[in-house]
Every structure is written in C-alpha cells, then in structure tokens.
Amino acid sequence: MTKTNENGNFYHAVSLSGGKDSSCVLLLMIEKGMPIDCVLYADTGMEFPEMEEHIAKLDSLLFRERGIHITTLRHPHSFEWMMFEIPQQQKRAIERRIAKGQPLTGYGWPGMRVRWCTGQRKTHLIRKEANRLKQEKGKNALHYIGIAADEAHRCKDDPQNRYPLVDWKITEAQALQICYSRGFDFGGLYKIYRRASCWCCPLQRIDELRKLRTHHPELWARLRDMDNRARTMFGPGPLGQFKKDWSVERLEERFAREEKAERK
C-alpha cells in the first residue's frame, strides 16, 4: 500500500474529523492526485445525523476515486456508558466521590478542564492509530491534518505531520466554500451552527443550544434526558451540571420565555 514519489517511499495517512477543514484537505488531496493510503475518522457516537451522511458521501467519493474506504475508529463503549457507568479507578477520585456522596461510576458531564469526550473518543483514537502507523512504517509515514491557515498556531512540531491548508494558505472560511463548491454542504449544518461537532457538547454557546432546540428537537429532547439523569446521579457541581450556570431544563424554560416574548 506504500506509495512512491520523488522523495522515496511514503505511507500517507489523512485525519478526518468530518468538519470543513479536514474535509477540504481530503477533497483537495484527491483532486490534486496526491497519494492517500488511509483516511482515519473517529466516530464519537454523538454526531449530527447530517454529519453521518456527510461522512458516507465522502467515503463514496474516496472509494470511487482511490479504491479505499474511510477507516472508522470507535471507542468500545458508548458516550453515555462513559458518562454514567464507567467505574472510577483512581484512588483519589474514589475518595473524593465517597466524601461527596457521589456514585463511583461515570465521568459525568465533560468540561473545559476535563474534556474526556474529545480526549478518549476522538483525539486518543486518531493519535493511537496514527502512531501505530508511524511505528509500522517508520519515518516514511506521513500524517496529514486539517488545520486551516488562520489556526496555524495549533500545528505540532512533528516532522511526520503535514498541514496542507497551512501550506496552501487556505483559511477556515475558504475551506468551507471549497467544500460547498464541490457539492459537500454538510446537510446545512454550517448554515445553522458555527461548528459541526458533537450535538451534546456542554461547551457550546447558548445561542448554539437555542438553535439545537429549534432545528433538532429530537436531539434536544435526548440532551434534556441526559442532563436530568446527570443531575439526579451526581447532584450540583461540574459532574451533574450541563453548564456552569445552566441545566438543560433551565435553558428550556429560558428559550420558551424568549419565544413567548417574541410573539407578543
């Protein structure tokens, strides 16, 4: 599966988050005839239905053009199993839970300080597989990552990493337009939301959650159920509170009041 170019033999692995930047990288690499040996995608299990359709559409293009499918990586357990049921292992965490009268299972809601969702269900899976490929292929393994030119500060100083959008000076806004121009519109997600990441993310802005309630009521209902369970299980505090000052139930009341005021 190793490709050959003017620099010798290399194995080319592309990371795909599904968002506009990584999708743009994959589309342009295909268009430019650049070698691609595998495309790695971590499915968190909490993606918008439109994102699932977008990944399937990219997979069809990749297979049609290059004869390979996207490699989908998944954690062996569900998001909700980790949120509510995973046993605590660390002694300090167990002692802290006992002192607070909290259950000894579940991570609770992820937060800015402990983003277990991104870490364990996405970043870790991609990094683990990319590192495995680097070890297997040695210095000839190249890892292509979708970071736009206006976010170049996120790039890591690793000689095996490649950042095509930075090299091509393509910004986030330009990456989205390139995807649109190739017929990939993400099911309209970017016309509604700023980001097309997990729909249940507590780090979303209030306005994004307002849009979730309006445009994806079935996901909003599931989010409300998850939050009710978390508050019942963990009580007040970061584990059981969806956002620092807001439960999903209180947000529901707020949005309903706003709608009522607008109708007057």
Side-chain angles (χ1 to χ4, degrees), residues 176-229:
L176 180 59
Q177 292 306 314
I178 288 171
C179 291
Y180 284 164
S181 68
R182 272 64 172 179
F184 289 83
D185 65 358
F186 304 88
L189 286 177
Y190 282 109
K191 295 185 183 302
I192 302 171
Y193 306 101
R194 292 180 64 255
R195 300 286 178 183
S197 52
C198 297
W199 55 264
C200 62
C201 182
L203 304 180
Q204 296 178 76
R205 297 180 179 182
I206 297 292
D207 188 53
E208 297 286 277
L209 292 163
R210 184 183 289 107
K211 293 174 182 176
L212 181 70
R213 178 175 174 267
T214 299
H215 295 279
H216 290 88
E218 73 289 352
L219 298 181
W220 178 260
R222 186 177 168 191
L223 182 65
R224 189 172 61 242
D225 290 342
M226 290 169 62
D227 191 45
N228 287 340
R229 182 179 177 186

Side-chain angles (χ1 to χ4, degrees), residues 206 209 220 242 246-255:
I206 297 292
L209 292 163
W220 178 260
F242 178 63
W246 296 96
S247 65
V248 177
E249 186 175 293
R250 285 191 61 217
L251 284 171
E252 171 75 32
E253 294 169 353
R254 169 180 168 172
F255 297 155

Side-chain angles (χ1 to χ4, degrees), residues 9-223:
N9 295 324
F10 288 88
Y11 187 89
H12 305 262
V14 181
S15 281
L16 176 68
S17 70
K20 59 188 183 305
D21 299 337
S22 63
S23 295
C24 180
V25 167
L26 180 58
L27 291 172
L28 291 183
M29 287 184 69
I30 291 173
E31 280 187 16
K32 292 174 181 289
M34 296 172 65
I36 300 171
D37 293 297
C38 76
V39 177
L40 305 176
Y41 169 67
D43 182 0
T44 65
M46 307 302 275
E47 309 292 344
F48 283 98
E50 294 89 342
M51 180 57 69
E52 295 174 2
E53 294 171 4
H54 171 72
I55 295 299
K57 187 175 178 180
L58 279 176
D59 184 69
S60 295
L61 174 68
L62 180 66
F63 184 72
R64 187 168 63 250
E65 296 293 329
R66 299 302 178 88
I68 61 174
H69 285 291
I70 293 171
T71 299
T72 301
L73 308 173
R74 292 185 177 91
H75 193 280
H77 295 288
S78 70
F79 181 97
E80 291 180 66
W81 184 88
M82 297 179 74
M83 184 172 172
F84 298 113
E85 300 177 34
I86 186 172
Q88 292 295 302
Q89 300 290 338
Q90 296 183 349
K91 182 180 178 181
R92 289 181 61 184
I94 292 173
E95 291 174 346
R96 186 165 57 248
R97 293 284 185 96
I98 292 174
K100 293 183 177 180
Q102 294 176 329
L104 302 183
T105 60
Y107 288 138
W109 280 116
M112 186 64 73
R113 294 181 61 186
V114 184
R115 298 181 66 174
W116 57 263
C117 49
T118 303
Q120 295 196 39
R121 303 191 68 82
K122 202 162 200 172
T123 309
H124 174 72
L125 296 177
I126 292 287
R127 184 183 296 122
K128 181 179 179 181
E129 181 61 15
N131 287 340
R132 185 191 71 78
L133 289 171
K134 288 178 180 179
Q135 291 177 0
E136 180 182 309
K137 307 298 179 180
K139 293 181 179 179
N140 288 343
L142 301 179
H143 184 196
Y144 293 80
I145 302 170
I147 293 179
D150 43 352
E151 290 220 319
H153 61 277
R154 295 174 49 217
C155 297
K156 305 295 184 183
D157 187 17
D158 184 328
Q160 290 177 274
N161 287 351
R162 296 291 184 272
Y163 302 95
L165 298 186
V166 175
D167 295 338
W168 299 330
K169 296 180 173 55
I170 294 175
T171 65
E172 286 190 276
Q174 291 170 332
L176 180 59
Q177 292 306 314
I178 288 171
C179 291
Y180 284 164
S181 68
R182 272 64 172 179
F184 289 83
D185 65 358
F186 304 88
L189 286 177
Y190 282 109
K191 295 185 183 302
I192 302 171
Y193 306 101
R194 292 180 64 255
R195 300 286 178 183
S197 52
C198 297
W199 55 264
C200 62
C201 182
L203 304 180
Q204 296 178 76
R205 297 180 179 182
I206 297 292
D207 188 53
E208 297 286 277
L209 292 163
R210 184 183 289 107
K211 293 174 182 176
L212 181 70
R213 178 175 174 267
T214 299
H215 295 279
H216 290 88
E218 73 289 352
L219 298 181
W220 178 260
R222 186 177 168 191
L223 182 65

